[in-house]
Amino acid sequence: MAFSRDPLDELVIPDGTEAKEVDLVTDGDVLVGTRSTIDFGVRGRNVLAGESVEFGGAIEAEGDCRLDMWCDVAENVLVGQDAYIGERVHVAGEMKVAGDLDIGDDVEIEEGFEANGWIVIRNPMPTIVLLFVYLKHLLLVGEEDTAQRLVSELVDEEGDAQPDVEPLVIPRNATVSDDAWRVSTPATIGDDCRLHGNVRAETIDVGTDTTIFGSLRARGDVTVGEGTRIHGDLTTRDGDVTIEPDARVLGDVSCNDLELGPEAEVDGTIRANGEITMGTTERDPE
């Protein structure tokens, strides 16, 4: 995964991500920016959260789990390797750690905790903050190769033994729930995803064969990939919309310019301030 800017400046939902009834499930890592609210539980490889992140469900991490100061988890925390818990974190359920547990001051775990490895009770360094401040500094001074190596070491600790899966990234101050995904950054949604909730972002790029049970609303451009289904309206304030072949929007579309690929469908009303371009399938010569 290569970074050309702050890695928390975009909502990134990798291929195959599912928003199930109570959990947000992905095969890769989960990175959550500060002061975000996630009404779901999360299940992934490594789970890293910044300060004051709220989780409305349980956390299940196959690898490490790092929660910065003042995080709140509504249910259990289950960790397959090591856990690093900052000061004043609150966990409403229990915490089970297969490896080592490094835990800060004034941490409240209502149903207790256990770890198979070492348990160190102190005030650990807020690693998620240190990581991204250092990454931002490297990017500002043009050291992109060094930043990439650092991320590879921290996120892909198992090397070739782990699948090369793009992490799920939720930017700072985001709200993620069954009703809506609200961010003030661009949003990229991968292929073969299944999500519930309306998506609100600066721009939106949806991959192929994805299903979203909600509407899309952006300030800028919106792209809907081939074979994708949007069960709601598609609206952009100042941007253009591209609906690729065989995609379907089961609601209204409102935009500046609209490009419809072959066999793309819009079930509702189209409102375009500019041009509408409709692609056609190839025909056999008569």
Side-chain angles (χ1 to χ4, degrees), residues 56-210:
I59 294 177
E60 295 184 27
E62 296 180 8
D64 293 346
C65 178
R66 299 172 184 258
L67 303 180
D68 214 333
M69 300 179 290
W70 296 298
C71 284
D72 189 282
V73 183
E75 298 181 18
N76 300 328
V77 177
L78 306 178
V79 185
Q81 296 183 14
D82 300 331
Y84 305 84
I85 310 300
E87 62 181 347
R88 296 182 176 84
V89 168
H90 172 257
V91 178
E94 63 179 346
M95 178 178 292
K96 292 185 177 181
V97 182
D100 299 336
L101 172 61
D102 196 335
I103 189 168
D105 297 332
D106 298 322
V107 172
E108 181 181 4
I109 303 174
E110 294 187 9
E111 298 184 13
F113 64 88
E114 61 182 72
N116 291 333
W118 292 97
I119 298 177
V120 179
I121 301 177
R122 59 183 174 86
N123 185 11
M125 181 178 296
T127 53
I128 188 73
V129 172
L130 176 63
L131 169 62
F132 287 112
V133 168
Y134 183 45
L135 280 175
K136 179 178 285 188
H137 172 72
L138 291 174
L139 295 173
L140 287 174
V141 299
E143 293 289 341
E144 294 188 12
D145 292 341
T146 304
Q148 176 61 45
R149 287 196 298 272
L150 174 63
V151 172
S152 298
E153 291 175 2
L154 291 172
V155 175
D156 299 321
E157 291 178 347
E158 299 301 315
D160 295 336
Q162 293 285 2
D164 184 14
V165 180
E166 187 176 21
L168 169 65
V169 180
I170 297 175
R172 59 182 59 86
N173 300 312
T175 300
V176 175
S177 70
D178 195 48
D179 177 65
W181 298 60
R182 292 187 175 92
V183 299
S184 57
T185 67
T188 300
I189 301 172
D191 304 334
D192 300 306
C193 296
R194 186 177 179 88
L195 306 178
H196 292 263
N198 306 310
V199 180
R200 306 288 184 259
E202 184 69 26
T203 61
I204 302 174
D205 187 351
V206 185
T208 62
D209 297 317
T210 284

Side-chain angles (χ1 to χ4, degrees), residues 12-13 18 28 30 42 52 60 102 109 112 125 137 182 185 210 224 228 241 257 276 281-282:
V12 179
I13 303 174
E18 292 188 59
V30 179
V42 297
S52 303
E60 295 184 27
D102 196 335
I109 303 174
M125 181 178 296
H137 172 72
R182 292 187 175 92
T185 67
T210 284
V224 178
T228 285
V241 168
D257 294 340
I276 298 178
T281 57
E282 294 184 1

Side-chain angles (χ1 to χ4, degrees), residues 206-207 216 222-226 228 230 234 242-244 247-249:
V206 185
L216 305 181
V222 178
T223 301
V224 178
E226 185 173 351
T228 285
I230 307 299
L234 194 164
T242 301
I243 302 176
E244 296 185 354
R248 183 179 179 186
V249 178

